[in-house]
Amino acid sequence: STTTLYCRGVMDTLRISERSNKVTENIDTASPEDMLDMLKRSDDQMFEGWEDYPCVLSDCCVKTLARVADSAADMLQDNIKNGSKNAFIFSGCGTSGRIAWLCTRTFNQWLTNRGIPPCFYYLIAGGDTTLIRSEEMPEDNPVQGVKDLQEINRDNKYVMVECI
C-alpha cells in the first residue's frame, strides 16, 4: 500500500537510533519482566548485529576503531610534544551530551594538571542549557550543529569528532 511504501521510505532515512525495533515493538503493553527481557535483547543486538548492520565486535568495526584510536593517539602526542592545536570534540544529545561534557572536563583537567593546554571540547544539542534542562527539538537541528562545530574548529589544526 501507499502508506507502507511511505513508512518504509521514512524508515530508510532515519538514523538507527531513531528507528523502531521489532524486539521492543510491544513494550508498552508488556509486563515489567518482559520489558526488561526486551531491553536486554535489544542491547544484545549491538554484539550480535542488527538487520544488515554488523555487530560492534565484527572485524570491520574493530579495525575501524583501532585506526581511530591510533589517529587520536598520534594527534594527542602531536599536541603534547609539538604544541599543535589538534582538537577532540565529543558530541551528543541529552544524556550522551552530558557524558561528552563530563569526559571533556575530566580529560582537560588531566592535561591542565600536567601543564598541557586543553584540547577537548564538547557539543550538546541545544547548547549548555540542556546540560541541566532536557529539550527534544535541538537534536533535530543539523544547521545549528554545523555552526557549533565550525565555532570550535576555527582555531584548530585537525579535528576529531566523536559522537557519543
Side-chain angles (χ1 to χ4, degrees):
S1 74
T2 303
T3 303
T4 303
L5 290 176
Y6 172 75
C7 290
R8 187 173 297 136
V10 170
M11 288 299 288
D12 290 343
T13 63
L14 291 174
R15 294 184 303 262
I16 292 172
S17 61
E18 300 293 327
R19 295 180 186 184
S20 62
N21 187 326
K22 290 187 187 298
V23 170
T24 57
E25 67 186 357
N26 295 318
I27 198 165
D28 57 329
T29 59
S31 69
E33 294 83 10
D34 288 342
M35 284 182 188
L36 290 174
D37 181 60
M38 289 176 188
L39 294 172
K40 182 189 179 316
R41 286 188 290 139
S42 178
D43 287 348
D44 288 345
Q45 290 175 328
M46 287 188 295
F47 302 100
E48 297 167 358
W50 178 74
E51 292 188 359
D52 294 332
Y53 294 91
C55 74
V56 296
L57 299 177
S58 67
D59 286 343
C60 66
C61 288
V62 170
K63 287 177 183 176
T64 299
L65 289 172
R67 283 195 311 271
V68 169
D70 289 344
S71 294
D74 291 345
M75 289 171 61
L76 186 56
Q77 283 297 329
D78 192 32
N79 284 7
I80 293 169
K81 291 181 179 179
N82 304 320
S84 293
K85 293 187 75 174
N86 297 311
F88 300 85
I89 303 171
F90 294 0
S91 68
C93 304
T95 299
S96 298
R98 291 178 196 94
I99 292 170
W101 170 82
L102 179 63
C103 289
T104 58
R105 184 172 177 260
T106 302
F107 295 160
N108 283 333
Q109 186 175 29
W110 186 90
L111 292 171
T112 302
N113 288 344
R114 286 155 182 77
I116 303 165
C119 59
F120 292 92
Y121 302 87
Y122 71 93
L123 290 176
I124 183 170
D128 286 349
T129 58
T130 58
L131 287 169
I132 57 174
R133 187 184 71 223
S134 178
E135 290 186 36
E136 285 298 316
M137 295 307 291
E139 70 183 56
D140 297 322
N141 188 345
V143 173
Q144 185 61 47
V146 169
K147 288 179 184 175
D148 292 344
L149 185 57
Q150 288 171 333
E151 179 65 25
I152 290 174
N153 189 31
R154 65 187 164 141
D155 294 328
N156 295 294
K157 181 177 173 185
Y158 294 109
V159 175
M160 179 174 282
V161 178
E162 175 60 38
C163 300
I164 297 177

